[in-house]
Amino acid sequence: MAFTPYTPPSRAGRREWTALVVLMLPCLLVSMDVSVLYFAVPFLSAELAPSGAEQLWILDVYSFVLAGLLITMGALGDRIGRRRLLLSGAVLFGIASVLAAYAQSAGMLIAARVVLGIGGATLMPSTLALVRNLFHDAKQRGRAIAIWSGAMMGGIAVGPVLGGLLLEHFWWGSVFLINTPAMVLLLVAGPLLLPEFRNPAEGRFDLAGALLSLTAMLPIVYGVKELARNGFSALPVLALGAGLVAAAAFVYRQRTARHPMLDLELLRHRGYSVSVLMNLLSMFALVGSAVFITQYLQTVRGASPLEAALWNMVPTLAVGGMAPAAAALAQRMDRAFVIAGGFLAAAGGFLWVSSTEVDTPLWTVLLGASIYGAGMVMVMSLGTELALGVAPPERAGSASALLESGSELGGALGLALLGTLGNTVYRGEIDGAVSGGLPAGAADTVRETLAGAAAVAGELPGRAGEMLLSAARTAFIHGLHAALVGAACVMVLGALLAAAMLKGVRIQAATEEREPGQGCTETPDAPAVSDAAAAPVTRS
């Protein structure tokens, strides 16, 4: 296929905005696939009869592979072309979705989920990098990234709802087949609307670096999740240690390789490195608190899984316009203070919900969740915009991948640390209620989770069951208080870091023809990178 030179316009037009709509498809689907299986587990368990370990792998292997390959795929897209990688990933994602839908065994479904993770890892950094390449005007890019961030957050919220609706009318494989039409649409519209971008000066692909990246992220995410789920044990601790050793080896490789996957000099940019940290802190609080809110809706308030998912969508819908509003506000004042304000709003929302009791009206809980959701949308959208604004356009793929890897790691850490904090408080309080009054096996079940306590309480006669359930709900509420106060403290820390470290870092309002190093401005210790420094781009 012949290629002709393509120069992106200084201001995006109809073609670029239509291309953004196309790029939202993989964003929605990849984020939905993280949560869409929540309701399908009982159905696929009945048909495929997975063991306990296989069921956990069915749920987790997708996010493991996705996290492990993000950096590799981002660097690969910079070399071979971001549109090419995106479309290749769409083919892989679509095929894997069909294989998962018609899996005949647990092993086959796990293998299909692995392939889905590989496909998702190609899609995520490609979409964000293409947004960076399509929108060179800073104001327009801010709006585009705000829309992209909304699609990501919306997909996570919509996944359980869509899964629940499909499972009411179709078999469990339907939750995977919904991916296929969207991937076909992307394959048709992508070549027509998305120009190809690549960096011909990237050099040979760093295979050793790719292997080290995978062997670092996989055991780290696995170790953190297992510690959050099952507490301290030898295997996850060893996995976490091995991952950290591999991460150190990866950094050394990137410092010494002739053609590294990541430009570590980028981390010297306060605008980029602090943005990665901001996203990590946001996902830490969001994921770490989400598990408690979901349990609160289902087990304390007695909502069905579908009802809980629908209620969870209320804050998402309520804050849908916050990302564009934050982008507009950042054009009028120092974004450091806008981001700090987002963190403080999130902290206030977490503290609001931390006052929840068993009989608290649901609307007050949803209002507090909307407040902290709005704050985190502001932080993540502005942080993503800033990170891509200071990254060299020719390295947008690897820069996007590292940003998203930080988010994945933040979510895993939030689940582990905030989950452990809340569970510790729950177990400490429930111990007094079950000491000596239940058989050892039932007492252990009660101590594990609120759902386990509810199951045991349902088997006890009359008043004894009611007292146990009431005690378990009270203990859970106190654990929720601790987790949300912890999340609020992390948000306050984020606000202080943003105000101190991002002050004065800004993105040039519009792209002009400049010499490299004059596009984005921040303090003199970290020279900026301009859009004009981008490598030649091509369009088929």
Side-chain angles (χ1 to χ4, degrees):
M1 181 183 293
F3 289 94
T4 56
Y6 170 73
T7 302
S10 59
R11 287 187 58 82
R14 182 180 302 173
R15 176 191 178 94
E16 286 72 28
W17 288 107
T18 307
L20 177 63
V21 175
V22 173
L23 290 175
M24 287 173 63
L25 287 173
C27 288
L28 282 167
L29 292 174
V30 172
S31 56
M32 278 171 50
D33 255 50
V34 174
S35 56
V36 75
L37 265 189
Y38 290 169
F39 295 160
V41 170
F43 299 90
L44 64 88
S45 294
E47 186 164 332
L48 302 181
S51 66
E54 287 175 331
Q55 181 171 302
L56 290 177
W57 279 108
I58 288 170
L59 291 172
D60 288 342
V61 73
Y62 173 79
S63 59
F64 288 165
V65 175
L66 180 68
L69 289 176
L70 278 171
I71 292 176
T72 296
M73 293 304 180
L76 185 62
D78 289 341
R79 286 164 170 79
I80 70 170
R82 291 155 196 167
R83 186 183 69 178
R84 177 182 295 179
L85 185 66
L86 178 72
L87 298 181
S88 300
V91 172
L92 193 63
F93 202 81
I95 293 173
S97 297
V98 175
L99 292 176
Y102 294 101
Q104 300 299 307
S105 67
M108 184 177 175
L109 181 55
I110 292 170
R113 292 280 284 171
V114 169
V115 181
L116 276 170
I118 297 171
T122 68
L123 296 173
M124 293 301 294
S126 298
T127 57
L128 190 52
L130 284 167
V131 170
R132 171 68 177 88
N133 294 129
L134 286 167
F135 296 90
H136 282 242
D137 177 79
K139 291 183 179 179
Q140 290 185 317
R141 185 168 60 241
R143 290 195 292 270
I145 290 176
I147 294 170
W148 182 91
S149 300
M152 287 293 300
M153 298 287 286
I156 295 172
V158 168
V161 176
L162 185 57
L165 292 174
L166 287 171
L167 290 167
E168 286 191 359
H169 302 286
F170 305 102
W171 96 112
W172 62 267
S174 61
V175 300
F176 293 108
L177 282 186
I178 57 173
N179 296 331
T180 306
M183 291 299 104
V184 171
L185 180 59
L186 177 60
L187 289 170
V188 172
L192 300 176
L193 293 170
L194 299 174
E196 180 62 285
F197 294 89
R198 68 169 63 92
N199 181 13
E202 279 289 290
R204 182 177 298 178
F205 183 70
D206 182 15
L207 181 59
L211 292 175
L212 286 171
S213 169
L214 183 63
T215 54
M217 287 298 295
L218 273 178
I220 287 175
V221 175
Y222 166 79
V224 168
K225 283 196 170 186
E226 285 300 302
L227 289 172
R229 180 182 290 130
N230 300 316
F232 182 86
S233 60
L235 183 58
V237 170
L238 289 173
L240 190 58
L244 293 174
V245 171
F250 173 74
V251 172
Y252 177 78
R253 171 72 185 178
Q254 299 312 292
R255 292 179 60 186
T256 58
R258 184 176 180 182
H259 301 292
M261 291 171 56
L262 288 178
D263 181 6
L264 295 182
E265 289 296 314
L266 185 59
L267 293 175
R268 297 181 184 275
H269 264 282
R270 288 187 295 120
Y272 183 81
S273 57
V274 177
S275 294
V276 172
L277 179 59
M278 299 297 100
N279 272 23
L280 186 150
L281 293 177
S282 297
M283 289 301 293
F284 178 97
L286 179 64
V287 175
S289 61
V291 63
F292 289 95
I293 299 300
T294 301
Q295 288 184 68
Y296 169 78
L297 291 172
Q298 291 184 247
T299 313
V300 176
R301 303 201 68 95
S304 70
L306 182 57
E307 288 172 338
L310 288 170
W311 284 122
N312 264 324
M313 283 193 66
V314 172
T316 304
L317 296 174
V319 304
M322 286 308 302
L329 189 60
Q331 299 295 328
R332 293 171 171 79
M333 60 184 297
D334 195 322
R335 73 180 53 237
F337 300 119
V338 182
I339 293 175
F343 271 124
L344 291 177
F350 281 124
L351 290 176
W352 177 301
V353 181
S354 73
S355 65
T356 297
E357 300 296 341
V358 174
D359 56 352
T360 297
L362 181 58
W363 71 267
T364 63
V365 178
L366 296 177
L367 178 59
S370 299
I371 293 171
Y372 72 66
M376 284 190 286
V377 166
M378 292 174 64
V379 171
M380 295 180 72
S381 61
L382 289 180
T384 300
E385 178 198 354
L386 179 59
L388 292 185
V390 300
E394 70 274 13
R395 289 292 182 94
S398 55
S400 303
L402 184 58
L403 187 68
E404 289 159 14
S405 296
S407 297
E408 289 285 332
L409 184 58
L413 289 171
L415 185 64
L417 299 180
L418 293 181
T420 299
L421 175 61
N423 289 336
T424 299
V425 172
Y426 169 79
R427 290 171 183 167
E429 293 207 9
I430 201 63
D431 274 342
V434 301
S435 58
L438 294 172
D444 289 341
T445 300
V446 170
R447 290 187 183 97
E448 282 299 314
T449 62
L450 176 58
V456 171
E459 298 175 357
L460 296 177
R463 182 67 176 164
E466 293 176 4
M467 291 178 63
L468 175 60
L469 184 57
S470 176
R473 284 175 171 170
T474 300
F476 173 81
I477 288 293
H478 292 164
L480 178 146
H481 293 170
L484 295 188
V485 169
C489 292
V490 171
M491 296 295 93
V492 172
L493 174 63
L496 294 174
L497 290 174
M501 301 183 70
L502 291 179
K503 186 177 181 180
V505 179
R506 61 188 181 89
I507 303 173
Q508 189 73 25
T511 300
E512 303 168 3
E513 292 299 325
R514 307 176 186 87
E515 293 299 321
Q518 300 300 314
C520 304
T521 60
E522 64 173 295
T523 55
D525 63 328
V529 183
S530 74
D531 286 336
V537 293
T538 54
R539 172 184 168 191
S540 59

